[in-house]
Amino acid sequence: MDRASVVAGLGGWVPPTVVTNHQLAAVLDTDDAWIRSRTGIQERRWVSPGQSTGDLAVEAGRRALSSAGTDTVDAVVLATSTPDRPCPGTAPEVASRLGLGPIPAFDVAAVCTGFVYALATGAGLIALGTADRVLVVGADAFSTLLSPSDRSTRVIFGDGAGAVVLRTGSYSEPGALRGVSLGSDGSRSDLIEVPAGGSRERSTGLPVKTEDTYFTMQGQAVFAEAVRRMAESVRETASRIGWKPSEIDSLVLHQANARILAAVARRLALPRETLLSNIGRLGNTVAASIPLALADGVASGELRPGDRVVLAGFGGGLTWGSLALEWPQLRLAPPEAPTHAGLGAGSDHAEHESSRWPRGCRPPADL
């Protein structure tokens, strides 16, 4: 039976608190030029005290539901590595706050690949006939995991949420998810981690080292793995559905680092104009980065109906994955329910630049 999963709605939200490079330079051993040259980031959004991943997910989910023209779904899948609490998962509360009733709702933890994994999971629910519509959300408040003194991580990450509504449809129609490719390598799980807080550390009964409660990353090794794995995954996904990499109109990668994005495009022999990116304004928003980039692309007009689009992510685990679709005709929620992914409440779309390497956010010329 032809039970494809079709993208029917899209929304995103980031908290209104802007943190600029200059603000970070005032408290860290860094400066604006250092941050831009190594990451392509100018500013990011961080949650306010008491604000959580669930709050971000609810706002993005509400906008995606409005975009899809529905107030009901049959399941919620939330990709996050910063749940509101270690137990229980955050998705059931998100579903409840959205008024979706006693539907199945659960979290997926695949760090920066989380949204791709969650999309594949939602598509599986539809393929099995368990659901006809699924709300898939990627949300993280990663600023809550960062060491106040670690410039290598604190300058990179931002907070936010993005969401899509999947509906049952046909593989022949625009918006149908196709060619999904997923992978992992747990032998390198130490490259991206928060050492403390889980059962391994708790079972020791030893005092927790403060530094072990913060996010850590082995940058050079992660860079190499991210470029290789995302490029390979994009090729595999394109091959499965008969596309050549050169036929991709928009490549929407996890917004990890401007250098990584440029290196993946170069490895695939794709022009930079193919890359959809908002990392300059939002930083690395972890599981939220792909749907936020999509929402920015629709709002700016850079992402057009009929475009051949490939989404690809890489993150802790290690995990990676990609999928393809022909972009459908979508409407974002109306102005009274702001949807633009790069904006906080009350902001104006016109204040923001194109999502394809905004002015001042391009990677250095030597990339």
Side-chain angles (χ1 to χ4, degrees), residues 24-256:
L24 291 178
V27 295
L28 295 172
D29 180 21
T30 188
D31 57 41
D32 176 65
W34 187 91
I35 298 171
R36 289 195 193 214
S37 67
R38 286 159 178 78
T39 69
I41 299 168
Q42 299 177 87
E43 62 185 38
R44 70 288 294 147
R45 303 295 184 97
W46 284 355
V47 292
S48 301
Q51 197 171 39
S52 73
T53 293
D55 297 328
L56 306 178
V58 167
E59 292 297 329
R62 183 175 291 123
R63 286 155 174 75
L65 291 167
S66 176
S67 170
T70 185
D71 57 7
T72 61
V73 292
D74 303 307
V76 174
V77 184
L78 170 63
T80 187
S81 296
T82 55
D84 288 3
R85 295 166 285 180
C87 176
T90 302
E93 188 173 352
V94 170
S96 175
R97 290 174 62 184
L98 288 171
L100 299 175
I103 60 173
F106 55 93
D107 294 2
V108 170
V111 198
C112 300
T113 321
F115 187 71
V116 176
Y117 267 62
L119 278 177
T121 302
L125 294 175
I126 288 175
L128 287 170
T130 304
D132 290 322
R133 281 194 298 261
V134 179
L135 176 64
V136 179
V137 186
D140 272 299
F142 227 69
S143 65
T144 62
L145 297 180
L146 305 178
S147 169
S149 60
D150 185 1
R151 74 169 184 173
S152 67
T153 60
R154 198 161 183 80
V155 302
I156 295 173
F157 292 94
D159 303 332
V164 302
V165 174
L166 299 178
R167 63 165 175 83
T168 304
S170 168
Y171 285 104
S172 62
E173 64 181 299
L177 303 184
R178 304 169 61 196
V180 178
S181 171
L182 303 173
S184 75
D185 180 5
S187 71
R188 311 209 70 187
S189 61
D190 61 323
L191 295 186
I192 299 172
E193 65 171 343
V194 178
S199 61
R200 178 172 294 154
E201 172 268 319
R202 289 174 180 268
S203 69
T204 67
L206 299 174
V208 180
K209 297 178 182 178
T210 299
E211 59 268 28
D212 285 346
T213 65
Y214 295 124
F215 173 83
T216 66
M217 178 172 60
Q218 298 180 37
Q220 289 186 341
V222 168
F223 186 106
E225 287 283 347
V227 172
R228 179 169 71 93
R229 296 299 190 179
M230 282 197 285
E232 289 176 350
S233 187
V234 169
R235 284 197 186 96
E236 182 177 351
T237 288
S239 176
R240 286 183 178 182
I241 60 174
W243 292 0
K244 298 176 182 177
S246 61
E247 295 176 319
I248 297 171
D249 297 310
S250 291
L251 183 62
V252 187
L253 303 174
H254 161 58
Q255 305 291 294

